[in-house]
Amino acid sequence: MERIGIDPRPDFRHLVEAQGMLYSATKLDDGSEVPYWYENAYYRFTLAEIDRLEEVTRELHEMCVAAARHVLDRGDLRAFSLPEEARGYLRATLDRPSLYGRFDFAWGGENGDIADVKMLEYNADTPTTLIEASMIQWYWLRDRFPHRDQWNSLHERLVRAWQRMRPQLRSDIVHFAHVGGTDFDEEWLTSSYLRDTAAEAGLTTIGLEVADIGWHDGALRFVDLDERVVDTMFVLYPWEDMLSEPFGAHVVEHPDACTFLEPAWKVVLSNKAILAILWELYPGHPNLLPAYLDSPRDLTSYVAKPLHGREGDSVRIVTPESEYVHPTVDYDGSEGWCFQQYVPLPDLDGNQVVLGSWIVDGKPAGLGIRESDGPVTDFYARFVPHIVDTPAPSDEEKARWLEED
């Protein structure tokens, strides 16, 4: 794994925006911008490194699913700051279709300071950075390194996932809901991109905002603005919020009213408490970091993570030498904390790196890389493309790999 400087493509920002990523830069409070899509560098991996990432991703996903079943069978949902009355509904969704998720890993490759891949968390409910990992870096690869490979079968696997799920759905109509009324395009664009993959699989799609989802008291069904019954709905909205809100009570009280994607059981995987459960079930596993819920215990260096936190919200890093609190507005982590052993992120030329390893339909699907100037990967991180230092496979080879997996 190497970070290599390179001149960006001329007018690259116009290119990526034309390809669908309208958030190529992040606006600061003073009106200035910092780059989000960053192509003044790229990461190069050996095939052996990618094979290792794929192997670890597959194993950890299986372990996480087993841990979620353990929690919903006999675990304490209060430790996750989730309502106990939702347990029956969460268990009922365990066998419902699941679309995607993203692990965050710390690893510097075969020659890095961290001996093996370490799981930082699993964004299994509302992961973003999807468009850039799937489409945008693939177009970049075709322009800059057309004869090299990239670990990226995200688009193909998403289409195949919809095709596989289609017979299990109530109808061929799928609603896609996102949070509206914000200054950020990422959620809307992520939802729109997933709509495109569903449409490519032959499904009919309808978009709406979460606030526009209605409830029909007579039919006991969710409806859209045109009073159409919602059979299946992808919702880019945290399940922990849905379960705590009055409107969300309809979901638990009427579990057959709608098939949701992602299914509700994934609220367990996206919760930082799952890190402690994994360490309890698989103590000493080489790809896990020690983690606890009651206190840091014997950890001398640790990260305190809010159970429901996102984008580095209020993360606290404690070492014998110092304590660092990541600034966050109006977020106190009152739902509780997970204390995970601290490992410094790989530092390549002053850039601290997190590897985002994607799961689609239960299978490893690709890699997205974010880097930051500081120790916490947050809203101001940069997304940097990657290549695998091996010849690009033929279309026939790629099709065969998809069939075999």
Side-chain angles (χ1 to χ4, degrees), residues 255-298:
D256 296 323
C258 181
T259 297
F260 286 96
L261 295 169
E262 293 294 288
W265 70 269
K266 296 191 81 176
V267 70
V268 174
L269 295 191
S270 64
N271 192 298
K272 305 303 186 295
I274 199 66
L275 301 171
I277 301 301
L278 285 166
W279 188 249
E280 176 186 328
L281 295 176
Y282 307 98
H285 191 283
N287 302 120
L288 298 177
L289 294 167
Y292 309 101
L293 295 179
D294 54 354
S295 70
R297 298 194 188 179
D298 59 349

Short mmCIF file of all heavy atoms in Angstrom, two decimals, residues 255-298:
data_model
loop_
_atom_site.label_atom_id
_atom_site.label_comp_id
_atom_site.label_asym_id
_atom_site.label_seq_id
_atom_site.Cartn_x
_atom_site.Cartn_y
_atom_site.Cartn_z
N PRO A 255 -45.56 -4.87 11.97
CA PRO A 255 -44.30 -5.31 11.35
C PRO A 255 -44.43 -5.76 9.90
O PRO A 255 -43.43 -5.79 9.18
CB PRO A 255 -43.86 -6.48 12.24
CG PRO A 255 -45.10 -6.94 12.93
CD PRO A 255 -45.93 -5.71 13.12
N ASP A 256 -45.64 -6.10 9.46
CA ASP A 256 -45.82 -6.55 8.09
C ASP A 256 -46.32 -5.44 7.17
O ASP A 256 -46.66 -5.70 6.01
CB ASP A 256 -46.80 -7.73 8.04
CG ASP A 256 -46.26 -8.94 8.78
OD1 ASP A 256 -45.05 -9.17 8.71
OD2 ASP A 256 -47.05 -9.65 9.43
N ALA A 257 -46.33 -4.22 7.68
CA ALA A 257 -46.88 -3.12 6.88
C ALA A 257 -45.99 -2.76 5.70
O ALA A 257 -46.46 -2.27 4.68
CB ALA A 257 -47.10 -1.89 7.76
N CYS A 258 -44.69 -3.01 5.83
CA CYS A 258 -43.74 -2.61 4.78
C CYS A 258 -42.46 -3.39 4.95
O CYS A 258 -42.07 -3.72 6.07
CB CYS A 258 -43.46 -1.11 4.88
SG CYS A 258 -42.32 -0.46 3.62
N THR A 259 -41.81 -3.71 3.85
CA THR A 259 -40.47 -4.28 3.87
C THR A 259 -39.47 -3.14 3.72
O THR A 259 -39.47 -2.45 2.70
CB THR A 259 -40.26 -5.30 2.74
OG1 THR A 259 -41.17 -6.40 2.94
CG2 THR A 259 -38.84 -5.84 2.75
N PHE A 260 -38.64 -2.95 4.75
CA PHE A 260 -37.69 -1.85 4.74
C PHE A 260 -36.30 -2.33 4.37
O PHE A 260 -35.87 -3.43 4.73
CB PHE A 260 -37.62 -1.19 6.12
CG PHE A 260 -38.80 -0.34 6.46
CD1 PHE A 260 -39.85 -0.85 7.20
CD2 PHE A 260 -38.86 0.98 6.04
CE1 PHE A 260 -40.95 -0.07 7.52
CE2 PHE A 260 -39.95 1.77 6.34
CZ PHE A 260 -41.00 1.25 7.09
N LEU A 261 -35.61 -1.48 3.64
CA LEU A 261 -34.18 -1.64 3.36
C LEU A 261 -33.49 -0.35 3.79
O LEU A 261 -33.94 0.73 3.40
CB LEU A 261 -33.93 -1.86 1.86
CG LEU A 261 -34.49 -3.14 1.27
CD1 LEU A 261 -34.41 -3.09 -0.25
CD2 LEU A 261 -33.73 -4.34 1.80
N GLU A 262 -32.50 -0.45 4.64
CA GLU A 262 -32.00 -1.67 5.22
C GLU A 262 -32.98 -2.20 6.28
O GLU A 262 -33.70 -1.42 6.89
CB GLU A 262 -30.64 -1.42 5.86
CG GLU A 262 -29.54 -1.10 4.84
CD GLU A 262 -29.26 -2.29 3.95
OE1 GLU A 262 -28.67 -3.25 4.43
OE2 GLU A 262 -29.69 -2.25 2.78
N PRO A 263 -32.98 -3.56 6.50
CA PRO A 263 -33.85 -4.12 7.52
C PRO A 263 -33.47 -3.62 8.91
O PRO A 263 -32.31 -3.28 9.17
CB PRO A 263 -33.63 -5.63 7.37
CG PRO A 263 -32.29 -5.76 6.73
CD PRO A 263 -32.16 -4.57 5.83
N ALA A 264 -34.45 -3.62 9.81
CA ALA A 264 -34.25 -2.97 11.11
C ALA A 264 -33.18 -3.64 11.96
O ALA A 264 -32.55 -2.98 12.79
CB ALA A 264 -35.58 -2.95 11.86
N TRP A 265 -32.92 -4.94 11.79
CA TRP A 265 -31.93 -5.60 12.63
C TRP A 265 -30.54 -5.00 12.47
O TRP A 265 -29.70 -5.11 13.36
CB TRP A 265 -31.89 -7.10 12.35
CG TRP A 265 -31.32 -7.50 11.02
CD1 TRP A 265 -32.01 -7.68 9.85
CD2 TRP A 265 -29.95 -7.78 10.72
NE1 TRP A 265 -31.16 -8.05 8.84
CE2 TRP A 265 -29.88 -8.13 9.34
CE3 TRP A 265 -28.78 -7.78 11.47
CZ2 TRP A 265 -28.69 -8.46 8.71
CZ3 TRP A 265 -27.57 -8.11 10.83
CH2 TRP A 265 -27.55 -8.45 9.47
N LYS A 266 -30.30 -4.30 11.36
CA LYS A 266 -28.97 -3.72 11.15
C LYS A 266 -28.69 -2.53 12.06
O LYS A 266 -27.56 -2.05 12.14
CB LYS A 266 -28.79 -3.33 9.68
CG LYS A 266 -28.85 -4.56 8.76
CD LYS A 266 -28.42 -4.26 7.35
CE LYS A 266 -26.91 -4.24 7.23
NZ LYS A 266 -26.49 -4.04 5.82
N VAL A 267 -29.72 -2.10 12.82
CA VAL A 267 -29.48 -1.08 13.84
C VAL A 267 -28.51 -1.59 14.89
O VAL A 267 -27.79 -0.81 15.52
CB VAL A 267 -30.81 -0.64 14.49
CG1 VAL A 267 -31.39 -1.76 15.36
CG2 VAL A 267 -30.63 0.63 15.31
N VAL A 268 -28.45 -2.90 15.06
CA VAL A 268 -27.52 -3.49 16.02
C VAL A 268 -26.08 -3.40 15.49
O VAL A 268 -25.15 -3.08 16.23
CB VAL A 268 -27.90 -4.95 16.33
CG1 VAL A 268 -26.87 -5.62 17.22
CG2 VAL A 268 -29.28 -5.01 16.97
N LEU A 269 -25.90 -3.68 14.20
CA LEU A 269 -24.56 -3.66 13.62
C LEU A 269 -23.99 -2.25 13.54
O LEU A 269 -22.77 -2.06 13.68
CB LEU A 269 -24.57 -4.29 12.23
CG LEU A 269 -24.90 -5.77 12.12
CD1 LEU A 269 -24.60 -6.26 10.71
CD2 LEU A 269 -24.12 -6.58 13.14
N SER A 270 -24.82 -1.26 13.29
CA SER A 270 -24.33 0.10 13.13
C SER A 270 -24.05 0.78 14.47
O SER A 270 -23.46 1.86 14.52
CB SER A 270 -25.32 0.94 12.33
OG SER A 270 -26.55 1.07 13.03
N ASN A 271 -24.47 0.15 15.56
CA ASN A 271 -24.28 0.68 16.90
C ASN A 271 -22.88 0.33 17.40
O ASN A 271 -22.42 -0.81 17.26
CB ASN A 271 -25.35 0.06 17.81
CG ASN A 271 -25.46 0.72 19.16
OD1 ASN A 271 -24.51 0.72 19.93
ND2 ASN A 271 -26.63 1.24 19.45
N LYS A 272 -22.18 1.29 18.01
CA LYS A 272 -20.81 1.03 18.46
C LYS A 272 -20.75 -0.05 19.53
O LYS A 272 -19.68 -0.65 19.75
CB LYS A 272 -20.17 2.32 18.97
CG LYS A 272 -20.18 3.48 17.99
CD LYS A 272 -19.50 3.14 16.68
CE LYS A 272 -19.40 4.37 15.78
NZ LYS A 272 -20.72 4.88 15.34
N ALA A 273 -21.87 -0.33 20.20
CA ALA A 273 -21.87 -1.38 21.21
C ALA A 273 -21.53 -2.75 20.62
O ALA A 273 -21.05 -3.63 21.33
CB ALA A 273 -23.22 -1.44 21.92
N ILE A 274 -21.76 -2.93 19.33
CA ILE A 274 -21.45 -4.23 18.70
C ILE A 274 -19.96 -4.51 18.78
O ILE A 274 -19.55 -5.69 18.78
CB ILE A 274 -21.95 -4.26 17.24
CG1 ILE A 274 -22.06 -5.70 16.73
CG2 ILE A 274 -21.04 -3.44 16.34
CD1 ILE A 274 -23.12 -6.52 17.42
N LEU A 275 -19.14 -3.48 18.89
CA LEU A 275 -17.69 -3.69 18.99
C LEU A 275 -17.34 -4.44 20.27
O LEU A 275 -16.48 -5.33 20.27
CB LEU A 275 -16.96 -2.35 18.95
CG LEU A 275 -17.18 -1.50 17.69
CD1 LEU A 275 -16.60 -0.11 17.87
CD2 LEU A 275 -16.60 -2.18 16.46
N ALA A 276 -18.03 -4.10 21.36
CA ALA A 276 -17.80 -4.80 22.63
C ALA A 276 -18.36 -6.22 22.59
O ALA A 276 -17.76 -7.15 23.15
CB ALA A 276 -18.42 -4.01 23.78
N ILE A 277 -19.49 -6.40 21.93
CA ILE A 277 -20.08 -7.73 21.83
C ILE A 277 -19.16 -8.64 21.01
O ILE A 277 -18.95 -9.81 21.35
CB ILE A 277 -21.48 -7.66 21.19
CG1 ILE A 277 -22.40 -6.77 22.04
CG2 ILE A 277 -22.07 -9.05 21.03
CD1 ILE A 277 -22.59 -7.23 23.47
N LEU A 278 -18.62 -8.12 19.92
CA LEU A 278 -17.69 -8.91 19.11
C LEU A 278 -16.48 -9.34 19.92
O LEU A 278 -16.03 -10.50 19.84
CB LEU A 278 -17.25 -8.10 17.89
CG LEU A 278 -18.26 -7.94 16.76
CD1 LEU A 278 -17.82 -6.84 15.81
CD2 LEU A 278 -18.46 -9.25 16.01
N TRP A 279 -15.92 -8.43 20.71
CA TRP A 279 -14.75 -8.79 21.53
C TRP A 279 -15.10 -9.82 22.59
O TRP A 279 -14.31 -10.69 22.94
CB TRP A 279 -14.17 -7.53 22.17
CG TRP A 279 -12.86 -7.79 22.86
CD1 TRP A 279 -12.61 -7.78 24.19
CD2 TRP A 279 -11.62 -8.12 22.22
NE1 TRP A 279 -11.29 -8.08 24.43
CE2 TRP A 279 -10.66 -8.28 23.24
CE3 TRP A 279 -11.22 -8.28 20.88
CZ2 TRP A 279 -9.33 -8.61 22.97
CZ3 TRP A 279 -9.90 -8.61 20.62
CH2 TRP A 279 -8.98 -8.77 21.65
N GLU A 280 -16.34 -9.74 23.10
CA GLU A 280 -16.80 -10.73 24.07
C GLU A 280 -16.96 -12.11 23.43
O GLU A 280 -16.60 -13.14 24.03
CB GLU A 280 -18.13 -10.27 24.67
CG GLU A 280 -18.79 -11.24 25.63
CD GLU A 280 -20.16 -10.78 26.06
OE1 GLU A 280 -20.38 -9.55 26.15
OE2 GLU A 280 -21.03 -11.64 26.31
N LEU A 281 -17.47 -12.14 22.21
CA LEU A 281 -17.72 -13.42 21.53
C LEU A 281 -16.45 -13.99 20.89
O LEU A 281 -16.32 -15.22 20.78
CB LEU A 281 -18.80 -13.23 20.45
CG LEU A 281 -20.20 -12.86 20.95
CD1 LEU A 281 -21.12 -12.62 19.75
CD2 LEU A 281 -20.77 -13.95 21.85
N TYR A 282 -15.56 -13.11 20.45
CA TYR A 282 -14.35 -13.55 19.73
C TYR A 282 -13.11 -12.91 20.36
O TYR A 282 -12.37 -12.17 19.69
CB TYR A 282 -14.45 -13.18 18.25
CG TYR A 282 -15.70 -13.66 17.56
CD1 TYR A 282 -16.80 -12.80 17.39
CD2 TYR A 282 -15.81 -14.96 17.09
CE1 TYR A 282 -17.95 -13.23 16.75
CE2 TYR A 282 -16.96 -15.40 16.44
CZ TYR A 282 -18.02 -14.53 16.29
OH TYR A 282 -19.17 -14.96 15.66
N PRO A 283 -12.87 -13.16 21.64
CA PRO A 283 -11.74 -12.49 22.32
C PRO A 283 -10.41 -12.85 21.67
O PRO A 283 -10.16 -14.01 21.34
CB PRO A 283 -11.84 -13.02 23.75
CG PRO A 283 -12.57 -14.32 23.62
CD PRO A 283 -13.55 -14.14 22.51
N GLY A 284 -9.58 -11.84 21.47
CA GLY A 284 -8.26 -12.07 20.91
C GLY A 284 -8.22 -12.22 19.41
O GLY A 284 -7.15 -12.49 18.84
N HIS A 285 -9.36 -12.07 18.72
CA HIS A 285 -9.37 -12.21 17.27
C HIS A 285 -8.42 -11.18 16.66
O HIS A 285 -8.44 -9.99 17.03
CB HIS A 285 -10.78 -12.02 16.72
CG HIS A 285 -10.92 -12.41 15.28
ND1 HIS A 285 -10.48 -11.60 14.26
CD2 HIS A 285 -11.44 -13.52 14.69
CE1 HIS A 285 -10.74 -12.19 13.10
NE2 HIS A 285 -11.32 -13.36 13.33
N PRO A 286 -7.58 -11.58 15.71
CA PRO A 286 -6.55 -10.66 15.20
C PRO A 286 -7.06 -9.45 14.47
O PRO A 286 -6.31 -8.47 14.29
CB PRO A 286 -5.72 -11.56 14.27
CG PRO A 286 -6.63 -12.69 13.89
CD PRO A 286 -7.48 -12.92 15.09
N ASN A 287 -8.32 -9.45 14.03
CA ASN A 287 -8.85 -8.31 13.29
C ASN A 287 -9.79 -7.45 14.13
O ASN A 287 -10.40 -6.52 13.59
CB ASN A 287 -9.57 -8.78 12.03
CG ASN A 287 -8.68 -9.58 11.12
OD1 ASN A 287 -8.96 -10.75 10.84
ND2 ASN A 287 -7.57 -9.00 10.69
N LEU A 288 -9.88 -7.76 15.42
CA LEU A 288 -10.69 -6.96 16.33
C LEU A 288 -9.79 -6.22 17.31
O LEU A 288 -8.67 -6.64 17.60
CB LEU A 288 -11.65 -7.85 17.13
CG LEU A 288 -12.70 -8.63 16.34
CD1 LEU A 288 -13.52 -9.50 17.29
CD2 LEU A 288 -13.63 -7.68 15.58
N LEU A 289 -10.32 -5.11 17.83
CA LEU A 289 -9.66 -4.37 18.90
C LEU A 289 -10.45 -4.57 20.18
O LEU A 289 -11.69 -4.60 20.15
CB LEU A 289 -9.62 -2.87 18.56
CG LEU A 289 -8.74 -2.48 17.36
CD1 LEU A 289 -9.03 -1.05 16.93
CD2 LEU A 289 -7.27 -2.65 17.71
N PRO A 290 -9.77 -4.73 21.33
CA PRO A 290 -10.50 -4.84 22.59
C PRO A 290 -11.46 -3.68 22.76
O PRO A 290 -11.12 -2.52 22.48
CB PRO A 290 -9.39 -4.80 23.65
CG PRO A 290 -8.17 -5.30 22.93
CD PRO A 290 -8.31 -4.80 21.51
N ALA A 291 -12.69 -3.97 23.21
CA ALA A 291 -13.72 -2.93 23.37
C ALA A 291 -14.64 -3.32 24.51
O ALA A 291 -14.97 -4.50 24.69
CB ALA A 291 -14.50 -2.75 22.07
N TYR A 292 -15.10 -2.31 25.27
CA TYR A 292 -15.95 -2.53 26.44
C TYR A 292 -17.00 -1.44 26.52
O TYR A 292 -16.82 -0.35 25.96
CB TYR A 292 -15.10 -2.54 27.72
CG TYR A 292 -13.90 -3.46 27.65
CD1 TYR A 292 -12.62 -2.94 27.40
CD2 TYR A 292 -14.04 -4.83 27.79
CE1 TYR A 292 -11.52 -3.78 27.32
CE2 TYR A 292 -12.94 -5.68 27.71
CZ TYR A 292 -11.69 -5.14 27.48
OH TYR A 292 -10.60 -5.97 27.39
N LEU A 293 -18.06 -1.73 27.27
CA LEU A 293 -19.16 -0.78 27.41
C LEU A 293 -19.18 -0.09 28.77
O LEU A 293 -19.63 1.05 28.88
CB LEU A 293 -20.51 -1.46 27.17
CG LEU A 293 -20.74 -1.99 25.76
CD1 LEU A 293 -22.10 -2.67 25.66
CD2 LEU A 293 -20.64 -0.87 24.74
N ASP A 294 -18.72 -0.77 29.82
CA ASP A 294 -18.85 -0.20 31.16
C ASP A 294 -17.76 0.82 31.48
O ASP A 294 -17.98 1.77 32.23
CB ASP A 294 -18.86 -1.30 32.22
CG ASP A 294 -17.64 -2.23 32.11
OD1 ASP A 294 -16.86 -2.08 31.15
OD2 ASP A 294 -17.49 -3.10 32.99
N SER A 295 -16.56 0.63 30.92
CA SER A 295 -15.42 1.50 31.20
C SER A 295 -14.28 1.07 30.29
O SER A 295 -14.36 0.03 29.62
CB SER A 295 -14.99 1.37 32.66
OG SER A 295 -14.40 0.09 32.88
N PRO A 296 -13.17 1.82 30.27
CA PRO A 296 -12.03 1.38 29.47
C PRO A 296 -11.31 0.16 30.05
O PRO A 296 -10.45 -0.41 29.38
CB PRO A 296 -11.10 2.61 29.49
CG PRO A 296 -11.93 3.75 29.91
CD PRO A 296 -13.00 3.19 30.78
N ARG A 297 -11.66 -0.20 31.30
CA ARG A 297 -11.02 -1.32 31.98
C ARG A 297 -9.50 -1.16 31.98
O ARG A 297 -8.99 -0.15 32.48
CB ARG A 297 -11.47 -2.65 31.38
CG ARG A 297 -12.98 -2.88 31.52
CD ARG A 297 -13.38 -4.30 31.23
NE ARG A 297 -14.84 -4.42 31.19
CZ ARG A 297 -15.48 -5.55 30.93
NH1 ARG A 297 -14.80 -6.67 30.69
NH2 ARG A 297 -16.80 -5.57 30.91
N ASP A 298 -8.78 -2.14 31.42
CA ASP A 298 -7.31 -2.09 31.50
C ASP A 298 -6.67 -1.40 30.31
O ASP A 298 -5.44 -1.45 30.15
CB ASP A 298 -6.75 -3.51 31.65
CG ASP A 298 -7.14 -4.41 30.48
OD1 ASP A 298 -8.01 -3.99 29.67
OD2 ASP A 298 -6.60 -5.53 30.37
#
